[in-house]
Coordinates of all heavy atoms in Angstrom, one line a residue:
M973 N -12.8 -21.6 -5.6 CA -11.7 -20.8 -5.2 C -10.7 -21.7 -4.5 O -11.1 -22.5 -3.6 CB -12.2 -19.7 -4.2 CG -11.1 -18.8 -3.7 SD -11.8 -17.5 -2.7 CE -10.4 -17.1 -1.8
C974 N -9.5 -21.6 -4.9 CA -8.5 -22.5 -4.3 C -7.8 -21.9 -3.1 O -7.9 -20.7 -2.9 CB -7.5 -22.9 -5.4 SG -6.4 -21.6 -5.9
I975 N -7.1 -22.7 -2.4 CA -6.4 -22.2 -1.2 C -5.1 -21.5 -1.7 O -4.4 -22.1 -2.5 CB -6.0 -23.4 -0.3 CG1 -7.2 -24.2 0.1 CG2 -5.1 -22.9 0.8 CD1 -8.1 -23.4 1.1
A976 N -5.0 -20.3 -1.3 CA -3.8 -19.5 -1.8 C -2.5 -19.8 -1.1 O -1.5 -19.6 -1.6 CB -4.2 -18.0 -1.7
L977 N -2.6 -20.3 0.1 CA -1.4 -20.6 0.9 C -0.8 -21.8 0.3 O -1.5 -22.8 0.0 CB -1.7 -20.8 2.3 CG -2.2 -19.5 3.1 CD1 -2.4 -19.9 4.5 CD2 -1.1 -18.4 3.0
R978 N 0.5 -21.8 0.2 CA 1.2 -23.0 -0.4 C 2.2 -23.4 0.7 O 3.0 -22.6 1.2 CB 1.9 -22.6 -1.7 CG 1.9 -23.7 -2.7 CD 2.3 -23.2 -4.0 NE 3.8 -23.2 -4.1 CZ 4.5 -22.6 -5.0 NH1 3.9 -21.9 -5.9 NH2 5.8 -22.7 -5.1
F979 N 2.3 -24.7 1.0 CA 3.2 -25.2 1.9 C 4.3 -26.0 1.2 O 4.0 -26.9 0.5 CB 2.5 -26.0 3.0 CG 1.6 -25.2 3.8 CD1 0.3 -25.1 3.5 CD2 2.1 -24.7 5.0 CE1 -0.6 -24.3 4.3 CE2 1.2 -23.9 5.8 CZ -0.1 -23.7 5.4
Q980 N 5.5 -25.6 1.5 CA 6.7 -26.3 0.9 C 7.6 -26.6 2.0 O 8.5 -25.7 2.3 CB 7.4 -25.4 -0.2 CG 6.6 -25.3 -1.5 CD 7.4 -24.5 -2.5 OE1 8.2 -23.7 -2.1 NE2 7.2 -24.8 -3.7
W981 N 7.5 -27.7 2.6 CA 8.3 -28.0 3.8 C 9.8 -28.1 3.5 O 10.6 -27.9 4.3 CB 7.8 -29.3 4.4 CG 6.4 -29.1 4.9 CD1 5.3 -29.7 4.4 CD2 5.9 -28.2 5.9 NE1 4.2 -29.2 5.1 CE2 4.5 -28.3 6.0 CE3 6.6 -27.2 6.7 CZ2 3.7 -27.5 6.9 CZ3 5.8 -26.5 7.6 CH2 4.4 -26.7 7.7
E982 N 10.1 -28.4 2.2 CA 11.6 -28.6 1.9 C 12.1 -27.4 1.2 O 13.3 -27.3 0.8 CB 11.8 -29.8 1.2 CG 11.6 -31.1 2.1 CD 11.7 -32.4 1.3 OE1 12.4 -32.4 0.3 OE2 11.1 -33.3 1.7
G983 N 11.3 -26.4 0.9 CA 11.7 -25.2 0.1 C 12.2 -24.2 1.0 O 12.3 -24.3 2.2
E984 N 12.6 -23.0 0.4 CA 13.1 -21.9 1.2 C 12.0 -21.3 2.1 O 12.2 -20.9 3.2 CB 13.5 -20.8 0.2 CG 15.0 -20.8 0.0 CD 15.3 -19.7 -1.0 OE1 14.9 -18.6 -0.8 OE2 16.0 -20.0 -2.0
C985 N 10.8 -21.2 1.5 CA 9.7 -20.6 2.2 C 8.6 -21.5 2.4 O 8.3 -22.3 1.6 CB 9.3 -19.4 1.3 SG 7.8 -18.6 2.0
S986 N 7.9 -21.5 3.6 CA 6.8 -22.4 3.8 C 5.5 -21.8 3.6 O 4.5 -22.4 3.2 CB 6.9 -23.0 5.2 OG 7.0 -21.9 6.2
V987 N 5.3 -20.5 3.9 CA 4.0 -19.8 3.7 C 4.2 -18.5 3.0 O 5.2 -17.8 3.2 CB 3.4 -19.5 5.1 CG1 2.0 -18.9 5.0 CG2 3.4 -20.8 5.9
Y988 N 3.3 -18.2 2.1 CA 3.3 -17.0 1.4 C 2.2 -16.0 1.8 O 1.2 -16.5 2.2 CB 3.2 -17.2 -0.1 CG 4.4 -18.0 -0.7 CD1 4.3 -19.4 -0.9 CD2 5.6 -17.4 -0.8 CE1 5.4 -20.1 -1.4 CE2 6.7 -18.1 -1.3 CZ 6.6 -19.5 -1.5 OH 7.7 -20.2 -2.0
C989 N 2.5 -14.7 1.6 CA 1.5 -13.7 1.9 C 0.2 -13.9 1.1 O 0.2 -14.0 -0.1 CB 2.0 -12.3 1.7 SG 0.8 -11.0 1.8
F990 N -0.9 -14.0 1.8 CA -2.2 -14.2 1.1 C -2.6 -13.1 0.2 O -3.0 -13.3 -1.0 CB -3.3 -14.3 2.2 CG -4.7 -14.6 1.7 CD1 -5.1 -15.9 1.3 CD2 -5.6 -13.6 1.5 CE1 -6.3 -16.1 0.8 CE2 -6.8 -13.8 0.9 CZ -7.2 -15.1 0.6
D991 N -2.4 -11.8 0.6 CA -2.7 -10.7 -0.2 C -1.8 -10.6 -1.5 O -2.3 -10.3 -2.6 CB -2.6 -9.4 0.6 CG -3.7 -9.2 1.6 OD1 -4.8 -9.7 1.3 OD2 -3.5 -8.7 2.6
C992 N -0.5 -11.0 -1.3 CA 0.4 -10.9 -2.4 C 0.0 -12.0 -3.4 O 0.1 -11.8 -4.6 CB 1.8 -11.1 -2.0 SG 2.5 -9.6 -1.3
V993 N -0.3 -13.2 -2.9 CA -0.7 -14.3 -3.8 C -1.9 -13.9 -4.7 O -2.0 -14.2 -5.9 CB -1.0 -15.6 -3.0 CG1 -1.7 -16.6 -3.9 CG2 0.3 -16.2 -2.4
Q994 N -2.9 -13.2 -4.1 CA -4.0 -12.7 -4.8 C -3.7 -11.7 -5.9 O -4.4 -11.5 -6.8 CB -5.1 -12.2 -3.8 CG -5.7 -13.3 -3.0 CD -7.0 -12.8 -2.3 OE1 -7.1 -11.7 -1.8 NE2 -8.0 -13.7 -2.4
E995 N -2.5 -11.0 -5.7 CA -2.1 -10.1 -6.7 C -1.1 -10.7 -7.6 O -0.5 -10.1 -8.4 CB -1.4 -8.9 -6.0 CG -2.4 -8.1 -5.2 CD -1.7 -7.1 -4.2 OE1 -0.4 -6.9 -4.3 OE2 -2.3 -6.5 -3.3
G996 N -0.9 -12.1 -7.5 CA -0.1 -12.8 -8.4 C 1.4 -12.8 -8.1 O 2.3 -13.1 -8.9
R997 N 1.7 -12.5 -6.8 CA 3.1 -12.5 -6.4 C 3.3 -13.5 -5.3 O 2.4 -13.8 -4.6 CB 3.5 -11.1 -5.9 CG 3.7 -10.1 -7.0 CD 4.1 -8.7 -6.4 NE 3.0 -8.2 -5.6 CZ 3.1 -7.5 -4.5 NH1 4.3 -7.4 -3.9 NH2 2.1 -7.0 -3.9
L998 N 4.6 -14.0 -5.2 CA 4.9 -14.9 -4.1 C 5.8 -14.2 -3.1 O 7.0 -13.9 -3.4 CB 5.6 -16.2 -4.6 CG 4.7 -17.2 -5.3 CD1 5.5 -18.4 -5.7 CD2 3.5 -17.6 -4.4
E999 N 5.3 -13.8 -2.0 CA 6.1 -13.0 -1.0 C 6.1 -13.8 0.3 O 5.0 -14.2 0.8 CB 5.5 -11.6 -0.8 CG 6.3 -10.6 -0.1 CD 7.5 -10.2 -0.9 OE1 7.4 -10.0 -2.1 OE2 8.6 -10.0 -0.3
P1000 N 7.2 -14.1 0.9 CA 7.2 -14.9 2.1 C 6.5 -14.2 3.2 O 6.6 -12.9 3.3 CB 8.7 -15.0 2.5 CG 9.4 -14.7 1.2 CD 8.6 -13.8 0.4
A1001 N 5.7 -14.9 4.0 CA 4.9 -14.3 5.0 C 5.7 -14.2 6.3 O 6.6 -15.0 6.6 CB 3.7 -15.2 5.3
V1002 N 5.5 -13.1 7.1 CA 6.2 -12.9 8.3 C 5.2 -13.0 9.5 O 5.7 -13.0 10.7 CB 6.9 -11.6 8.3 CG1 8.0 -11.5 7.2 CG2 5.9 -10.4 8.2
A1003 N 3.9 -13.0 9.3 CA 3.0 -13.0 10.4 C 1.7 -13.6 9.9 O 1.5 -13.9 8.7 CB 2.7 -11.6 10.8
V1004 N 0.8 -13.9 10.9 CA -0.5 -14.5 10.6 C -1.5 -13.6 11.2 O -1.4 -13.2 12.4 CB -0.6 -15.9 11.2 CG1 -2.0 -16.4 11.1 CG2 0.3 -16.9 10.5
C1005 N -2.5 -13.2 10.5 CA -3.6 -12.3 11.0 C -4.4 -13.0 12.1 O -4.8 -14.1 12.0 CB -4.5 -12.0 9.8 SG -6.0 -11.0 10.3
V1006 N -4.6 -12.2 13.2 CA -5.3 -12.8 14.3 C -6.8 -13.0 14.1 O -7.5 -13.8 14.7 CB -5.1 -12.0 15.6 CG1 -3.7 -12.0 16.1 CG2 -5.6 -10.6 15.4
D1007 N -7.3 -12.3 13.1 CA -8.7 -12.3 12.9 C -9.1 -13.3 11.8 O -10.1 -14.1 12.0 CB -9.3 -10.9 12.5 CG -9.3 -10.0 13.7 OD1 -9.7 -10.5 14.8 OD2 -9.0 -8.8 13.5
C1008 N -8.5 -13.3 10.6 CA -8.9 -14.2 9.6 C -7.9 -15.4 9.4 O -8.3 -16.3 8.6 CB -9.1 -13.5 8.3 SG -7.6 -12.9 7.5
G1009 N -6.8 -15.3 10.0 CA -5.8 -16.4 9.8 C -5.0 -16.4 8.6 O -4.2 -17.3 8.3
A1010 N -5.1 -15.3 7.8 CA -4.3 -15.2 6.5 C -2.9 -14.9 6.9 O -2.6 -14.2 7.9 CB -4.9 -14.1 5.6
A1011 N -2.0 -15.4 6.1 CA -0.5 -15.1 6.3 C -0.3 -13.7 5.6 O -0.9 -13.5 4.6 CB 0.3 -16.2 5.7
A1012 N 0.6 -12.9 6.2 CA 0.9 -11.6 5.6 C 2.3 -11.3 5.5 O 3.1 -11.8 6.4 CB 0.1 -10.5 6.4
C1013 N 2.8 -10.6 4.5 CA 4.2 -10.3 4.4 C 4.4 -9.0 5.1 O 3.5 -8.4 5.7 CB 4.5 -10.1 2.9 SG 3.8 -8.6 2.2
G1014 N 5.7 -8.5 5.2 CA 6.0 -7.3 5.9 C 5.3 -6.1 5.4 O 5.0 -5.1 6.1
D1015 N 4.9 -6.1 4.1 CA 4.2 -4.9 3.5 C 2.7 -4.9 3.9 O 2.1 -3.9 4.1 CB 4.3 -4.9 2.0 CG 5.7 -4.5 1.6 OD1 6.4 -3.8 2.4 OD2 6.0 -4.7 0.4
H1016 N 2.2 -6.1 4.0 CA 0.7 -6.2 4.2 C 0.3 -6.4 5.7 O -0.8 -6.2 6.0 CB 0.1 -7.4 3.4 CG 0.0 -7.1 2.0 ND1 0.7 -7.8 1.0 CD2 -0.8 -6.2 1.4 CE1 0.3 -7.3 -0.2 NE2 -0.6 -6.3 0.0
V1017 N 1.2 -6.7 6.6 CA 0.9 -6.9 8.0 C 0.7 -5.6 8.6 O 1.4 -4.6 8.3 CB 2.0 -7.8 8.7 CG1 3.3 -7.0 8.9 CG2 1.4 -8.2 10.1
K1018 N -0.3 -5.5 9.5 CA -0.5 -4.2 10.3 C -0.4 -4.6 11.8 O -0.9 -5.6 12.2 CB -2.0 -3.7 10.0 CG -2.2 -3.5 8.5 CD -1.6 -2.2 8.1 CE -1.9 -1.9 6.6 NZ -1.2 -0.7 6.1
R1019 N 0.3 -3.7 12.4 CA 0.5 -3.9 13.9 C -0.5 -3.0 14.6 O -0.6 -1.8 14.4 CB 1.9 -3.5 14.2 CG 2.4 -3.7 15.6 CD 3.8 -3.1 15.7 NE 4.1 -3.1 17.1 CZ 5.2 -3.5 17.6 NH1 6.1 -4.0 16.9 NH2 5.4 -3.5 18.9
V1020 N -1.2 -3.6 15.5 CA -2.2 -2.9 16.3 C -1.8 -3.0 17.8 O -1.5 -4.1 18.3 CB -3.6 -3.5 16.1 CG1 -4.7 -2.8 16.9 CG2 -4.0 -3.6 14.6
A1021 N -1.8 -1.9 18.5 CA -1.4 -1.9 19.9 C -2.5 -2.6 20.7 O -3.7 -2.5 20.4 CB -1.2 -0.5 20.4
A1022 N -2.0 -3.4 21.7 CA -2.9 -4.1 22.5 C -2.3 -4.2 23.9 O -1.1 -3.8 24.1 CB -3.2 -5.5 22.0
S1023 N -3.1 -4.6 24.9 CA -2.5 -4.8 26.2 C -2.9 -6.1 26.8 O -3.9 -6.7 26.5 CB -2.9 -3.6 27.1 OG -4.3 -3.7 27.4
L1024 N -2.0 -6.6 27.7 CA -2.2 -7.9 28.3 C -2.3 -7.7 29.8 O -1.5 -7.0 30.3 CB -1.0 -8.7 27.9 CG -1.0 -10.2 28.0 CD1 -1.8 -10.7 26.8 CD2 0.4 -10.8 27.9
Q1025 N -3.3 -8.3 30.4 CA -3.4 -8.3 31.8 C -2.7 -9.5 32.5 O -3.0 -10.6 32.0 CB -4.8 -8.2 32.3 CG -5.6 -7.0 31.8 CD -5.3 -5.8 32.6 OE1 -5.0 -5.9 33.8 NE2 -5.4 -4.6 32.0
R1026 N -1.8 -9.3 33.4 CA -1.2 -10.4 34.1 C -1.5 -10.3 35.6 O -1.3 -9.2 36.2 CB 0.3 -10.4 33.8 CG 0.9 -11.7 34.2 CD 2.3 -11.8 33.7 NE 3.2 -11.1 34.5 CZ 4.5 -10.9 34.3 NH1 5.0 -11.4 33.2 NH2 5.3 -10.2 35.1
V1027 N -2.0 -11.4 36.1 CA -2.3 -11.4 37.6 C -1.0 -11.4 38.3 O -0.1 -12.2 38.1 CB -3.2 -12.6 37.9 CG1 -3.4 -12.7 39.4 CG2 -4.5 -12.5 37.1
V1028 N -0.9 -10.5 39.3 CA 0.3 -10.4 40.1 C -0.1 -10.6 41.6 O -0.9 -9.8 42.1 CB 1.0 -9.0 40.0 CG1 2.2 -9.0 40.8 CG2 1.4 -8.8 38.5
G1029 N 0.4 -11.5 42.3 CA 0.1 -11.7 43.7 C -1.3 -12.1 43.9 O -2.0 -12.7 43.1
M1030 N -1.9 -11.6 45.0 CA -3.2 -11.9 45.4 C -4.2 -10.8 44.9 O -4.3 -9.7 45.5 CB -3.4 -12.0 47.0 CG -2.6 -13.1 47.6 SD -3.3 -14.7 47.2 CE -4.8 -14.6 48.2
G1031 N -4.9 -11.0 43.8 CA -5.9 -10.1 43.4 C -5.4 -8.9 42.6 O -6.2 -8.1 42.1
G1032 N -4.1 -8.8 42.5 CA -3.6 -7.6 41.8 C -3.3 -8.0 40.3 O -3.2 -9.2 40.0
S1033 N -3.2 -7.0 39.5 CA -2.9 -7.3 38.1 C -2.2 -6.1 37.5 O -2.4 -5.0 38.0 CB -4.1 -7.6 37.3 OG -4.9 -6.5 37.0
S1034 N -1.3 -6.4 36.6 CA -0.7 -5.3 35.9 C -0.9 -5.5 34.4 O -1.0 -6.6 33.9 CB 0.8 -5.1 36.3 OG 1.4 -6.4 36.4
S1035 N -0.8 -4.4 33.7 CA -1.1 -4.5 32.3 C 0.2 -4.2 31.5 O 1.0 -3.4 31.9 CB -2.2 -3.5 31.9 OG -1.9 -2.7 30.9
Y1036 N 0.4 -4.9 30.4 CA 1.6 -4.8 29.6 C 1.2 -4.5 28.2 O 0.3 -5.0 27.7 CB 2.4 -6.2 29.6 CG 2.9 -6.5 31.0 CD1 2.1 -7.2 31.9 CD2 4.2 -6.2 31.3 CE1 2.6 -7.6 33.1 CE2 4.7 -6.5 32.6 CZ 3.9 -7.2 33.5 OH 4.3 -7.5 34.7
D1037 N 2.0 -3.6 27.6 CA 1.8 -3.2 26.2 C 2.2 -4.4 25.3 O 3.3 -4.9 25.5 CB 2.5 -2.0 25.9 CG 1.9 -0.7 26.5 OD1 0.7 -0.8 26.8 OD2 2.6 0.2 26.7
T1038 N 1.4 -4.8 24.4 CA 1.8 -5.8 23.5 C 1.2 -5.5 22.1 O 0.9 -4.3 21.9 CB 1.4 -7.2 24.0 OG1 1.7 -8.2 23.1 CG2 -0.1 -7.3 24.2
R1039 N 1.0 -6.4 21.3 CA 0.5 -6.1 19.9 C -0.4 -7.2 19.4 O -0.4 -8.4 19.9 CB 1.7 -6.0 19.0 CG 2.4 -7.3 18.7 CD 3.8 -7.2 18.4 NE 4.4 -8.6 18.6 CZ 5.7 -8.8 18.6 NH1 6.5 -7.9 18.4 NH2 6.1 -10.0 18.8
R1040 N -1.1 -6.9 18.4 CA -1.9 -7.8 17.6 C -1.5 -7.6 16.2 O -1.3 -6.5 15.8 CB -3.4 -7.6 17.8 CG -4.0 -8.0 19.1 CD -5.3 -7.3 19.3 NE -6.3 -7.6 18.3 CZ -7.0 -8.7 18.3 NH1 -7.0 -9.6 19.3 NH2 -7.9 -9.0 17.4
L1041 N -1.4 -8.7 15.4 CA -1.0 -8.5 14.0 C -2.2 -8.9 13.1 O -2.8 -9.9 13.3 CB 0.2 -9.4 13.7 CG 1.5 -9.1 14.5 CD1 2.6 -10.1 14.2 CD2 2.0 -7.7 14.2
Q1042 N -2.5 -8.0 12.2 CA -3.6 -8.2 11.3 C -3.2 -8.0 9.9 O -2.2 -7.3 9.6 CB -4.7 -7.1 11.6 CG -5.4 -7.3 12.9 CD -6.5 -6.3 13.1 OE1 -6.3 -5.1 12.9 NE2 -7.7 -6.8 13.4
C1043 N -3.9 -8.7 9.0 CA -3.7 -8.5 7.6 C -4.3 -7.1 7.2 O -5.1 -6.5 7.9 CB -4.3 -9.6 6.7 SG -6.1 -9.6 6.7
G1044 N -4.0 -6.6 6.0 CA -4.5 -5.4 5.5 C -6.0 -5.3 5.5 O -6.6 -4.3 5.9
A1045 N -6.7 -6.4 5.1 CA -8.1 -6.4 5.0 C -8.8 -6.3 6.3 O -9.7 -5.5 6.5 CB -8.6 -7.7 4.2
C1046 N -8.3 -7.0 7.3 CA -9.0 -7.0 8.6 C -8.7 -5.6 9.3 O -9.5 -5.1 10.0 CB -8.5 -8.1 9.5 SG -9.1 -9.7 8.9
W1047 N -7.5 -5.1 9.1 CA -7.1 -3.8 9.7 C -8.0 -2.7 9.1 O -8.5 -1.9 9.8 CB -5.6 -3.5 9.4 CG -5.2 -2.3 10.1 CD1 -4.6 -2.2 11.3 CD2 -5.2 -1.0 9.5 NE1 -4.3 -0.8 11.6 CE2 -4.6 -0.1 10.4 CE3 -5.6 -0.5 8.2 CZ2 -4.5 1.3 10.2 CZ3 -5.4 0.9 8.0 CH2 -4.9 1.8 9.0
A1048 N -8.2 -2.8 7.8 CA -9.0 -1.8 7.1 C -10.5 -1.9 7.6 O -11.1 -0.9 7.8 CB -9.0 -2.0 5.6
A1049 N -11.0 -3.1 7.8 CA -12.3 -3.3 8.2 C -12.5 -2.8 9.6 O -13.5 -2.1 9.9 CB -12.7 -4.8 8.2
R1050 N -11.6 -3.0 10.5 CA -11.6 -2.5 11.8 C -11.5 -1.0 11.9 O -12.1 -0.4 12.8 CB -10.5 -3.2 12.7 CG -10.7 -3.0 14.1 CD -10.0 -4.1 14.9 NE -10.6 -5.4 14.7 CZ -10.7 -6.3 15.6 NH1 -10.3 -6.0 16.9 NH2 -11.2 -7.4 15.4
H1051 N -10.8 -0.4 11.0 CA -10.6 1.0 11.1 C -11.5 1.8 10.1 O -11.4 3.0 10.0 CB -9.1 1.4 10.8 CG -8.2 1.0 11.9 ND1 -7.8 -0.3 12.1 CD2 -7.6 1.7 12.9 CE1 -7.0 -0.4 13.2 NE2 -6.9 0.8 13.7
G1052 N -12.3 1.1 9.5 CA -13.3 1.8 8.6 C -12.8 2.4 7.4 O -13.3 3.4 6.9
V1053 N -11.7 1.9 6.9 CA -11.1 2.5 5.7 C -11.0 1.3 4.6 O -11.0 0.2 4.9 CB -9.7 3.0 5.9 CG1 -9.8 4.3 6.8 CG2 -8.7 2.0 6.4
A1054 N -11.0 1.7 3.4 CA -11.0 0.7 2.3 C -9.6 0.1 2.2 O -8.6 0.7 2.5 CB -11.2 1.4 0.9
A1055 N -9.6 -1.2 1.9 CA -8.3 -1.9 1.8 C -7.5 -1.4 0.7 O -8.1 -1.1 -0.4 CB -8.6 -3.4 1.7
A1056 N -6.2 -1.3 0.9 CA -5.4 -0.8 -0.2 C -5.2 -1.8 -1.3 O -5.2 -3.0 -1.0 CB -4.0 -0.4 0.4
Ligands
ZN47 ZN1 1.9 -9.2 0.9
ZN48 ZN1 -7.2 -10.8 8.4

């Protein structure tokens, strides 16, 4: 099995969506999955709500809403549904 990601430093696009490449398409990636490291395009990336704790002052902390970006396969695995 070959590496599906293609790097073209002088081309228009440097990284392509892993899922799209497997379907025979070249779609520019917009994000990288936090779990498996695959690049994903706007159609395949899934946004998962997350929160970040930041220490404030002496012993205090506050939490901020943020996000985690996952590919379709990891998102499906985490949510117990079949990958599209
Ligand atoms: Zn894609
Ligand atoms: Zn993934």
